[in-house]
Amino acid sequence: RISAHPSTMAGSKAPGEDENPFASSDGGSDLVNTRIADRENDYQKRRFDRAIREDGMSFKDTMIHANLDRERHELITEARKDLLDEDGNMKEIESSNDVKKETETETSGKRRKRRWDISSGAAAEATTNLE
């Protein structure tokens, strides 16, 4: 009589042969899919699409650097617009005296806010006294 008990079958196995008892089975009861990765939706699968950085930076550090790069690029384009004319040539830089005069004329031309305790005539005198 041949027994199917594991203790009697252990001797019939060749030495060095490793048998995987789960090799033929996919797992589960075949009623539902038991693999979690198969049950994930598209949003959850996006985690596999993330780029892994070799330098070991975290997501937060990566976003900070991306924002800094974007701001740097914006500043460079703004500076180019300020320094270059329509033809792509450098604009002439005004002397510091001319810039001071322009800022003085701009600040002196500003209207002061009306105050409740100063009449309109007194407010006009106050602005002329400041000049």
Side-chain angles (χ1 to χ4, degrees):
R1 159 181 157 171
I2 299 174
S3 174
H5 193 268
S7 63
T8 58
M9 293 183 74
S12 65
K13 191 162 64 166
E17 183 181 337
D18 291 329
E19 186 177 322
N20 185 358
F22 302 108
S24 64
S25 68
D26 292 331
S29 62
D30 291 332
L31 298 175
V32 293
N33 191 353
T34 56
R35 288 184 51 199
I36 294 173
D38 292 340
R39 290 182 282 154
E40 289 180 342
N41 60 21
D42 291 335
Y43 177 77
Q44 291 168 330
K45 288 179 183 177
R46 284 181 12 187
R47 65 186 167 112
F48 296 117
D49 296 335
R50 280 191 228 142
I52 298 174
R53 298 187 56 102
E54 287 90 25
D55 56 1
M57 288 179 21
S58 67
F59 180 78
K60 179 181 176 182
D61 295 337
T62 304
M63 289 296 107
I64 289 172
H65 285 289
N67 286 335
L68 287 174
D69 289 340
R70 182 180 42 81
E71 289 176 9
R72 184 179 303 122
H73 179 69
E74 289 174 359
L75 287 174
I76 289 171
T77 55
E78 286 179 22
R80 283 186 182 153
K81 286 179 185 177
D82 292 342
L83 295 176
L84 299 177
D85 59 5
E86 294 83 24
D87 299 330
N89 300 327
M90 290 288 290
K91 290 182 181 177
E92 293 183 20
I93 299 174
E94 299 174 356
S95 66
S96 61
N97 292 337
D98 294 339
V99 174
K100 286 181 185 177
K101 289 179 186 175
E102 286 179 14
T103 55
E104 288 175 5
T105 57
E106 288 175 4
T107 55
S108 64
K110 291 183 181 177
R111 286 186 60 187
R112 294 184 59 165
K113 291 185 178 181
R114 294 184 184 175
R115 293 183 46 148
W116 63 273
D117 58 345
I118 299 177
S119 65
S120 61
E125 291 176 8
T127 56
T128 56
N129 289 339
L130 291 175
E131 292 175 359

